[in-house]
Amino acid sequence: MASKFQAPRGTFDVLPEQARSRARLERAATTIFSRAGYEPIATPAFEDTALFERGVGKSTDIVRKEMFTFEDKGGRSLTLRPEGTASICRAYLEHGMHKLAQPVKLSYLGPFFRHERPQAGRYRQFHQLGAECIGADSPLADAEVIMLLSDLLAELGVPGVELRLGSLGSFEARRAYLDDLKAHLHDHEGELSQDVRERIDINPLRAFDSDDEGTRGVMATAPTIVGQLEGEDAEHFEEVRALLDAAGISYVVDSTLVRGLDYYTRTIFSFVCDQLGAQSEIGGGGRYDGLIEQLGGKPTPAVGFAAGIERILLALDEEVPAPGRDVFVAIADPEQRGQAMALAVELRGAGFSVEVDLAGRGLKGQLKHADRIGARQVLILEADGGAQLRDMKTGEQRAADTGKLVEEMTGGES
Ligand code: HAM
């Protein structure tokens, strides 16, 4: 009977057959993070609303339109986290992590929430995995976090991936650039879409993202920040590029790359995948040298990324088969239920995957069920107290000694 309830709009259930490829992805990510010394961190699913307003930026779509914000019973404004970086910087400050050896390298994996219009690859509750390297200004740190994501996508075998790389320069360079860009947009106001025109002074970079034909024409001749990088900003970008070249990681420099968060300085990057349609960004990130200070700490350089778990899974489009079971314990007589359970517990303790019949089937039904769940062997407890071990692949059956089951199971090899 179908329930009258459904998962809320923009959310989804992860069913067991989907959980397997998810688990494979999570294992691969955890291994890659830990091999590079990125320790796991977990932060709450909700934070003070002001943290995201301050961290992500009041002019961004995320803060303006997409946050799940609510008042708690104490009248505090809280928000379900739309992203992880601001929370992790808050935790870094709150726990005095600046006193640890720098940089502090952290990794995370969990649910995030944005009130967006749902479509393939875009949800209201989605999952990210990410890494943040806080306290290093070296281009090596930028290259390292890019390599972590590149390695993960390669290890999983995600097809059709392209890395796009850009730089926004320091805050000062970015401010000067934004003035030039605004001037260019004001010069061509009549050709811009209404949405872009209204936001020239709030968020001019968004114009690069526009699908509107008139706006695209204006942007084709707009100044780009990569073209204007100077001094240390230009050097930093050059070094990041040289490190990626040396590591054999291919990328395209995209001078129109913009990201939907305000905290970025210098390096920004985006991994896109041609299997994904409109929501083609699998993951991205960049440097955010001003964020910790913005949140009340000392100036602290940092860089990181996050990738969308659902988007990686969509691009992989794989089915991981059910693992099967080592043993199914079948009973000829309900009297043997206690013994069956005890044997199952003993075998599970020895590392085997074991199921017993929980549905009160007859012996024939139990063998059928064992086959259905992919059991490799069935231990049949016979009515006369004997036991048989049946190999489900060959159909061979032999007498088994329930006192020496672990040896029996491994064919006497243990
Ligand atoms: P972001 O680009 O907003 O960056 O999100 C990172 C990734 O999360 C996206 O590339 C996309 O794969 C996935 N994603 C975002 N929104 C959705 C959605 N509604 N449904 C499904 N997937 C989605 C950040 O969040 C930054 N915190 C990344 C970062 C870390 N920068 C520095 N450190």
Side-chain angles (χ1 to χ4, degrees):
M1 194 178 58
S3 156
K4 63 179 174 164
F5 295 112
Q6 292 182 336
R9 187 165 146 74
T11 70
F12 51 85
D13 299 309
V14 179
L15 301 175
E17 59 267 30
Q18 297 150 349
R20 290 194 288 269
S21 48
R22 209 168 257 269
R24 182 175 92 90
L25 189 167
E26 292 179 4
R27 272 196 305 274
T30 310
T31 305
I32 281 175
F33 289 149
S34 89
R35 280 185 193 151
Y38 285 71
E39 298 266 5
I41 182 169
T43 60
F46 54 84
E47 299 266 1
D48 279 345
T49 301
L51 173 69
F52 300 118
E53 287 174 348
R54 181 96 63 94
V56 174
K58 275 196 160 149
S59 70
T60 60
D61 277 354
I62 294 179
V63 171
R64 286 174 66 235
K65 301 191 233 169
E66 297 169 2
M67 298 208 299
F68 282 94
T69 296
F70 59 97
E71 209 171 86
D72 75 359
K73 291 193 166 58
R76 284 170 286 260
S77 179
L78 298 172
T79 292
L80 296 184
R81 58 183 187 180
E83 64 102 46
T85 312
S87 308
I88 288 179
C89 289
R90 194 262 312 134
Y92 175 92
L93 288 171
E94 185 171 337
H95 301 287
M97 290 191 223
H98 61 280
K99 292 187 215 120
L100 304 175
Q102 304 293 298
V104 174
K105 301 191 295 181
L106 302 165
S107 62
Y108 55 98
L109 204 151
F112 293 87
F113 309 85
R114 295 184 193 174
H115 198 284
E116 295 194 77
R117 200 163 46 77
Q119 55 173 250
R122 190 163 74 193
Y123 311 100
R124 292 186 173 170
Q125 176 174 347
F126 57 99
H127 298 77
Q128 285 185 347
L129 56 91
E132 312 289 350
C133 176
I134 305 178
D137 60 7
S138 165
L140 277 166
D142 308 48
E144 177 162 277
V145 297
I146 292 173
M147 282 180 215
L148 288 178
L149 183 51
S150 165
D151 282 355
L152 176 64
L153 298 177
E155 160 130 4
L156 292 168
V158 180
V161 176
E162 183 181 275
L163 166 59
R164 297 186 183 155
L165 189 67
S167 175
L168 296 172
S170 62
F171 264 123
E172 299 73 47
R174 187 174 156 187
R175 197 166 306 131
Y177 165 72
L178 290 181
D179 287 343
D180 287 355
L181 182 59
K182 284 179 202 167
H184 177 79
L185 293 173
H186 281 301
D187 285 347
H188 296 85
E189 253 185 89
E191 298 151 60
L192 299 173
S193 71
Q194 190 187 345
D195 185 46
V196 170
R197 207 178 319 131
E198 279 170 3
R199 287 167 66 187
I200 294 181
D201 294 308
I202 318 172
N203 197 350
L205 283 171
R206 275 301 303 270
F208 282 113
D209 268 349
S210 175
D211 292 331
D212 173 72
E213 213 173 301
T215 307
R216 291 179 79 95
V218 175
M219 298 323 285
T221 57
T224 66
I225 184 122
V226 172
Q228 295 190 358
L229 289 179
E230 285 178 349
E232 287 182 11
D233 288 342
E235 265 167 44
H236 189 96
F237 192 48
E238 275 309 307
E239 280 185 53
V240 173
R241 293 182 56 180
L243 287 164
L244 294 178
D245 291 338
I249 293 182
S250 51
Y251 57 86
V252 290
V253 173
D254 183 349
S255 55
T256 65
L257 188 62
V258 285
R259 300 194 44 73
L261 304 110
D262 269 358
Y263 48 62
Y264 292 117
T265 51
R266 293 193 165 168
T267 314
I268 48 171
F269 58 91
S270 170
F271 284 82
V272 291
C273 172
D274 63 14
Q275 312 286 302
L276 286 180
Q279 302 306 315
S280 63
E281 192 189 86
I282 258 189
R287 186 162 270 290
Y288 48 95
D289 291 344
L291 180 55
I292 299 250
E293 194 180 0
Q294 186 86 13
L295 299 179
K298 294 211 180 75
T300 309
V303 60
F305 77 84
I309 290 184
E310 288 74 25
R311 294 199 188 163
I312 299 179
L313 293 172
L314 275 174
L316 281 173
D317 191 24
E318 64 172 9
E319 266 181 40
V320 177
R325 302 286 175 275
D326 294 321
V327 194
F328 185 88
V329 185
I331 50 174
D333 183 336
E335 289 280 304
Q336 295 159 316
R337 285 185 299 201
Q339 193 197 1
M341 265 305 187
L343 291 172
V345 168
E346 182 190 335
L347 286 171
R348 286 172 188 160
F352 295 100
S353 58
V354 186
E355 289 197 45
V356 293
D357 179 48
L358 302 177
R361 294 180 178 87
L363 187 56
K364 221 167 147 194
Q366 292 178 59
L367 290 173
K368 214 166 146 189
H369 186 62
D371 190 42
R372 196 160 40 215
I373 64 169
R376 284 173 278 279
Q377 303 196 69
V378 180
L379 175 70
I380 305 168
L381 302 181
E382 294 172 313
D384 63 7
Q388 297 276 327
L389 205 50
R390 180 200 285 240
D391 183 313
M392 293 297 276
K393 204 157 153 204
T394 62
E396 269 170 40
Q397 202 163 299
R398 61 188 164 87
D401 180 351
T402 48
K404 292 187 187 157
L405 258 189
V406 175
E407 288 97 312
E408 296 272 4
M409 291 298 310
T410 47
E413 288 158 23
S414 78

